[in-house]
Amino acid sequence: MTTPTHVVSTGADLFADAVAAQAVDVTRVDWRPPMAGTEADLATVAADPRRRDANERALAAMLGVTATLVDVAPASEVLGLGRGEFLHAGPPIDWARTSGPLRGALMAGAALEGLVEDPEDAVALFESGSSVSLEPCHGRRTVGPMAGVVTPSMWMFVLEDPATGARTHCSLNEGLGKVLRYGAYSPEVLTRLGWMRDVLGPLLQRAVRTVRDSTGPVDVTGILTQMLQMGDEAHNRNRAGTLMLLRDLAPALVTSGGDATDVAEVLRFVGGNDHFFLNLAMPACKLALDAARGTPGSTMVVAMARNGTDFGIQVAGTGDEWFTGPAQVADGLYLGSYGPDDANPDIGDSAITETAGIGGFAMATAPAIVRLVGGSVPDALATTRRMHEITLGENPRWTVPVLEFQGVPSGIDVTRVCRTGILPQINTGMAGRVAGTGQVGAGLVTPPAEIFPKALARLAELARS
């Protein structure tokens, strides 16, 4: 009997290890069966004649967008928010099902808007539901980090694609720790929000408009391209991006005519808040992904978002429908004496960064991120490589130096997730589960697996119709 000179092995390593022990060369194929119960739907969607072209068009639309910062203005003006109207992160939810950090953020927002004097009094206001309403940020072409609460008086970044005029929005970043987006509502939180409304927002508006009208708007997509070469991944590490934004806006801030003390405080606040640019990275990613929405037959994910209770995705070929499952608690590192029992399940629209191919998908470009979210540098490299298995292509603008400038994995494909069982990797901050706590840590998390078969089933239904 002839001994084989080479063996190809799929599945478990037991057979491959036994062959290798006999000095036979082995090629290991990382194969696994598709997610349980998805076989028929995978076959139906694979046979959809629209799928290949639709996915090519959806990916091209996403990659073709350039995001520029054209304005800063109150949400009442740019989003049409009225008194008592609140936006929040993630898929739709009512007050009865809201998590602690979302409740805390809504309570702070109600106090900021003067609907109550004490944030604690807002509980009765939201329980009654008579003069307030809750709506997902995504429904108004907006994204919000963590709780994502937006109220009428909050100032918003306004981003625009110059080729189409399409716009997206995001609130201004408060910093880390005890802040509204992590569910805190103490007096210091409200004081900071009042300063952002009365000082930070108006001064940024002057600076952004001055730059826009003199040399052209700030190229947010361009900053993202550069910061990925400088150790940022644009979700939980934005240090280089923040400083490049400050470089672009500082001269206009200094010459804005504003009070010198106020200008100095704005410069200190932005320069000292490494996460400030996150609130530009997020709407830039949404602007790109929204260009792919409404592509019949496409299996590309255009949104991943969490409200602290549910995790939801939206797909280019299924309109604005949400496919949801229970949000998971991140596995990571905790601040001070906090531990897993203190953490709320995952929350925020910031997973729009991973949906666009950065954040957790680009951790290989930001190895220092593991000091914040846990894991190791080899884990970060392996994560970026693994995400290529579930995406439709790469982004040639956003590249990873350590991987020979390979483009980041872009265009999450529902069918590839269901076929491989590989879930998108997200790095995230962790909010305390009790309203008012604030941030308790940061870590790594994935979506609940069941939401992808749900989306696949809907795609199969549409393919049969």
Side-chain angles (χ1 to χ4, degrees), residues 126-286:
F126 286 106
E127 285 179 343
S128 72
S130 59
S131 58
V132 293
S133 64
L134 305 181
E135 180 185 346
C137 287
H138 273 285
R140 300 229 190 179
R141 298 186 63 84
T142 297
V143 278
M146 300 307 291
V149 167
V150 177
T151 66
S153 69
M154 289 183 179
W155 288 71
M156 311 293 291
F157 286 124
V158 182
L159 273 62
E160 179 179 282
D161 178 7
T164 64
R167 290 188 169 191
T168 52
H169 315 84
C170 188
S171 58
L172 310 181
N173 193 284
E174 309 160 77
L176 297 177
K178 279 190 173 294
V179 290
L180 174 143
R181 73 177 187 280
Y182 278 100
Y185 54 83
S186 62
E188 67 188 86
V189 173
L190 294 174
T191 297
R192 184 188 306 110
L193 290 170
W195 175 81
M196 293 173 70
R197 177 194 61 207
D198 300 336
V199 178
L200 178 63
L203 281 175
L204 283 177
Q205 182 186 70
R206 291 190 207 175
V208 167
R209 289 180 175 180
T210 296
V211 171
R212 179 196 66 194
D213 296 339
S214 57
T215 59
V218 173
D219 182 355
V220 177
T221 300
I223 291 178
L224 282 163
T225 299
Q226 295 176 70
M227 63 192 279
L228 291 174
Q229 313 297 309
M230 301 169 69
D232 286 352
E233 42 70 70
H235 188 166
N236 277 285
R237 187 175 173 89
N238 290 273
R239 181 170 297 174
T242 295
L243 293 177
M244 282 189 282
L245 174 69
L246 192 59
R247 174 199 64 188
D248 289 348
L249 295 182
L253 281 167
V254 171
T255 59
S256 66
D259 178 81
T261 301
D262 289 340
V263 171
E265 185 58 29
V266 166
L267 292 170
R268 272 192 295 268
F269 179 79
V270 175
N273 176 5
D274 289 343
H275 273 61
F276 196 77
F277 189 82
L278 171 63
N279 291 42
L280 285 165
M282 288 173 57
C285 291
K286 178 167 176 59

Side-chain angles (χ1 to χ4, degrees), residues 62-116:
M62 180 186 80
L63 298 180
V65 170
T66 297
T68 60
L69 175 60
V70 296
D71 206 357
V72 179
S76 58
E77 295 179 16
V78 294
L79 302 180
L81 279 189
R83 185 173 175 82
E85 293 183 321
F86 295 81
L87 303 186
H88 63 81
I93 194 168
D94 57 32
W95 173 261
R97 297 184 63 245
T98 53
S99 62
L102 180 51
R103 287 193 173 203
L106 289 167
M107 292 159 64
L112 178 68
E113 296 301 317
L115 299 177
V116 294

